[in-house]
Amino acid sequence: MGFKILYSLVILLFVSASMSACNSRPISESSIQLNSSVSEEVVLGAGSFGFTYSVGEYGLFYHKNNKLQYYDLEAKESYVLCSKANCSHSDASCGAWYKNMDDATGLAMYGENVYVIKLNPDSNTYDLLSMDPTGSNQKVIYSLDVGEYKPGSWVANDIGDVYYAGGMAWFSAQYQYIGEVTEESNEFDYFESTIALGVNLQDGTTIMLNELPEDKVMYESEDNARYEFELVSKDYVLVSKNWNTTEQLSQKAFYEAYEQGEFEEFGNAADPQYEYLMWYQDHKESMFLYLLYDVQNGEWTEFESGKHKADYDEDGHVSGYHLPYIFLGTYDGKLIYQILDYEDPDIPVYLLDVKTNEREQILDIKNGGTLVTANSGNVISSVMDDEKILYCLFTENEKADIFYYNLRTKEHVELFQDDRRITFRMIGETADKYIGIIYSPVSYNPTVYMIDKEDYYNGDLKAAEKLF
């Protein structure tokens, strides 16, 4: 990746931030203004792994200690999303509590309601819930069946990132196939799959992008492709379908072929299957297809297709594959994207009108990168303050000059010089403030800060206020 994909919300997956005071106060005691609509573009739900945050106009939603919580930016207090008086928030009687860390995800406020996906062990489902900002009046909008833990069944074992936009909740669900025990390892033959879907927040109707295979099929084969969200907005949802033209053999299938005399070139290897997997990585043909969903008319179109570009390690082996584009968001109904080429230090950024197919290059970043950018398979809007794209150009002495490009006026504005590692790493914004973490090379527990946008534009990063 180098410095080209610089500052993503993905970094929060590794944040182990310790909130100030483990507050068990119910949110009904808060005086905050919660009933206010948030971004019309896309709201990222907070995940329970690694302390990620969903930033709203008046505060941050997050998971901590197996509870749904909220940090009030004005009161500088944390609250549990529970309105019960004298609640211990320690068992299923509390609507904000869940048993295991990965039992809840996608916590966010969208419109006037708070949403979250929680595992319901009684019904064996993942339930998409809506609730009041106090955590009361919880209602099930949609239930996803987990499945039965028995041989020959697909079982949902995780929910991916959840995005709210256009009156929908978009997310993926990861599945494991419960296979038979293999003779070679005395372990279950392992298969996995992913489905991607959207749920209408009003009536619970769904848009299924793909279906589970009827039987065990290796992941990323043509019949069991990997689907990932690349862009979510109020106008469009863009998904990548990824598969290999040559199907990888399972452990059982490999050893059956090996015993029949195939793969003789691995006969002297200590671990023939490992050598096969290395060979397969170098020889598989990895393909992609971008699918674009128009939220307004409900139509899917094929956006672009082709082969993934291979990345190579120092020994000349394929270390991975990547898609050609990173999507940065939308502006005025048009897609914003950058060309992804790890061998080229320059980054061109384009604005595309998908209705007319007219493309305009708006940025040509020479030896630098955009400041708020997702990795492939993640969604983060790079458009800040309604119309700005923040970016940097690297200079000598490990420094970087910070700029923004105004999409409305088409102006480039130089702001200040920063450390190349970027001091203030944004995770969200309100109308007049940026929320982020301040990078420290010696800290493993980054702290969340808030800064006035004018102070940020003036380079006065010392004005950032510590939140928790």
Side-chain angles (χ1 to χ4, degrees):
M1 290 287 182
F3 289 102
K4 300 185 71 173
I5 309 288
L6 292 172
Y7 322 108
S8 166
L9 278 176
V10 176
I11 190 173
L12 291 177
L13 296 177
F14 306 101
V15 173
S16 299
S18 177
M19 299 289 186
S20 61
C22 180
N23 200 330
S24 60
R25 182 179 308 173
I27 199 168
S28 58
E29 294 181 19
S30 172
S31 60
I32 54 178
Q33 306 175 59
L34 271 173
N35 288 313
S36 175
S37 295
V38 291
S39 168
E40 293 184 354
E41 282 296 320
V42 57
V43 177
L44 170 64
S48 57
F49 175 75
F51 299 102
T52 60
Y53 307 99
S54 182
V55 180
E57 182 61 29
Y58 302 106
L60 284 70
F61 292 86
Y62 63 98
H63 301 257
K64 186 183 180 185
N65 298 329
N66 294 25
K67 290 184 280 288
L68 310 178
Q69 303 203 35
Y70 177 83
Y71 183 86
D72 182 342
L73 293 174
E74 182 177 350
K76 305 298 189 296
E77 292 282 357
S78 291
Y79 301 88
V80 176
L81 295 187
C82 171
S83 58
K84 291 183 178 180
N86 303 316
C87 182
S88 65
H89 315 303
S90 59
D91 56 39
S93 65
C94 173
W97 178 89
Y98 48 92
K99 184 175 182 180
N100 301 306
M101 185 179 71
D102 56 355
D103 286 354
T105 192
L107 176 64
M109 186 169 186
Y110 179 73
E112 295 185 350
N113 292 316
V114 173
Y115 298 92
V116 70
I117 296 179
K118 290 177 68 176
L119 178 65
N120 185 335
D122 295 329
S123 60
N124 197 36
T125 55
Y126 281 107
D127 293 341
L128 172 59
L129 304 174
S130 70
M131 66 189 81
D132 294 340
T134 61
S136 58
N137 295 321
Q138 293 193 9
K139 300 176 182 178
V140 177
I141 299 175
Y142 171 77
S143 294
L144 181 71
D145 186 30
V146 171
E148 297 184 73
Y149 287 86
K150 64 179 183 179
S153 301
W154 287 102
V155 175
N157 57 9
D158 192 25
I159 300 295
D161 291 336
V162 184
Y163 310 99
Y164 301 93
M168 303 282 291
W170 298 92
F171 60 95
S172 61
Q174 285 73 52
Y175 284 79
Q176 177 184 351
Y177 185 84
I178 307 300
E180 303 291 344
V181 176
T182 62
E183 296 179 1
E184 292 78 13
S185 63
N186 199 33
E187 297 178 354
F188 286 109
D189 210 359
Y190 182 78
F191 298 88
E192 60 181 316
S193 187
T194 301
I195 62 168
L197 66 155
V199 179
N200 188 301
L201 296 174
Q202 293 297 317
D203 58 20
T205 57
T206 59
I207 298 172
M208 304 295 294
L209 278 68
N210 63 310
E211 301 288 344
L212 288 170
E214 293 183 2
D215 201 355
K216 55 183 181 182
V217 182
M218 288 301 292
Y219 194 40
E220 297 188 8
S221 64
E222 193 164 2
D223 294 328
N224 188 9
R226 170 171 50 88
Y227 286 78
E228 292 184 327
F229 290 100
E230 305 292 341
L231 171 74
V232 177
S233 74
K234 66 181 178 65
D235 300 308
Y236 298 103
V237 175
L238 192 139
V239 178
S240 65
K241 175 184 177 181
N242 307 271
W243 74 96
N244 303 314
T245 57
T246 302
E247 183 176 341
Q248 178 186 327
L249 296 178
S250 67
Q251 182 186 57
K252 181 178 180 180
F254 169 76
Y255 277 108
E256 287 177 351
Y258 184 70
E259 291 173 358
Q260 295 297 321
E262 298 184 45
F263 304 109
E264 293 181 355
E265 63 269 37
F266 308 138
N268 295 325
D271 187 342
Q273 192 202 18
Y274 173 80
E275 294 299 325
Y276 161 74
L277 293 175
M278 296 296 293
W279 172 88
Y280 179 80
Q281 179 74 0
D282 286 343
H283 293 84
K284 68 181 181 181
E285 189 175 51
S286 186
M287 311 295 292
F288 73 88
L289 170 64
Y290 285 121
L291 296 167
L292 185 68
Y293 178 72
D294 189 317
V295 175
Q296 303 304 317
N297 61 30
E299 295 181 357
W300 287 96
T301 57
E302 294 188 3
F303 181 71
E304 188 172 330
S305 62
K307 295 181 180 179
H308 286 100
K309 187 170 183 179
D311 303 315
Y312 296 89
D313 61 23
E314 57 185 12
D315 296 322
H317 294 292
V318 175
S319 59
Y321 296 86
H322 67 264
L323 290 162
Y325 310 123
I326 293 290
F327 291 88
L328 306 180
T330 62
Y331 180 76
D332 195 25
K334 300 176 182 178
L335 305 186
I336 307 170
Y337 70 94
Q338 68 181 45
I339 304 293
L340 185 57
D341 185 351
Y342 297 131
E343 298 177 358
D344 189 346
D346 299 336
I347 301 177
V349 179
Y350 295 92
L351 194 63
L352 175 68
D353 188 329
V354 297
K355 298 185 184 300
T356 64
N357 205 32
E358 294 181 0
R359 185 177 76 165
E360 174 190 0
Q361 183 169 350
I362 57 175
L363 281 171
D364 187 14
I365 303 174
K366 304 289 187 181
N367 189 29
T370 50
L371 295 195
V372 186
T373 308
N375 293 309
S376 180
N378 298 102
V379 176
I380 300 169
S381 177
S382 299
V383 180
M384 308 299 288
D385 209 9
D386 295 327
E387 57 189 20
K388 298 180 177 70
I389 296 178
L390 292 157
Y391 68 97
C392 72
L393 300 179
F394 298 132
T395 63
E396 298 179 352
N397 302 320
E398 298 298 314
K399 298 294 183 180
D401 292 331
I402 308 299
F403 298 78
Y404 71 69
Y405 173 76
N406 190 305
L407 289 157
R408 178 178 55 84
T409 65
K410 299 185 179 182
E411 294 179 302
H412 296 263
V413 178
E414 185 171 1
L415 300 177
F416 58 93
Q417 189 171 79
D418 196 7
D419 186 273
R420 179 180 284 223
R421 291 172 294 193
I422 305 303
T423 303
F424 190 90
R425 303 186 176 189
M426 296 183 188
I427 63 175
E429 64 176 320
T430 68
D432 57 1
K433 299 180 185 297
Y434 285 126
I435 311 297
I437 62 172
I438 291 184
Y439 173 80
S440 170
V442 297
S443 174
Y444 294 98
N445 297 304
T447 303
V448 179
Y449 286 81
M450 176 173 65
I451 188 171
D452 287 344
K453 289 181 177 179
E454 287 304 313
D455 287 335
Y456 178 84
Y457 294 147
N458 292 327
D460 187 10
L461 301 184
K462 293 183 179 180
E465 177 185 359
K466 179 180 177 181
L467 298 181
F468 46 74

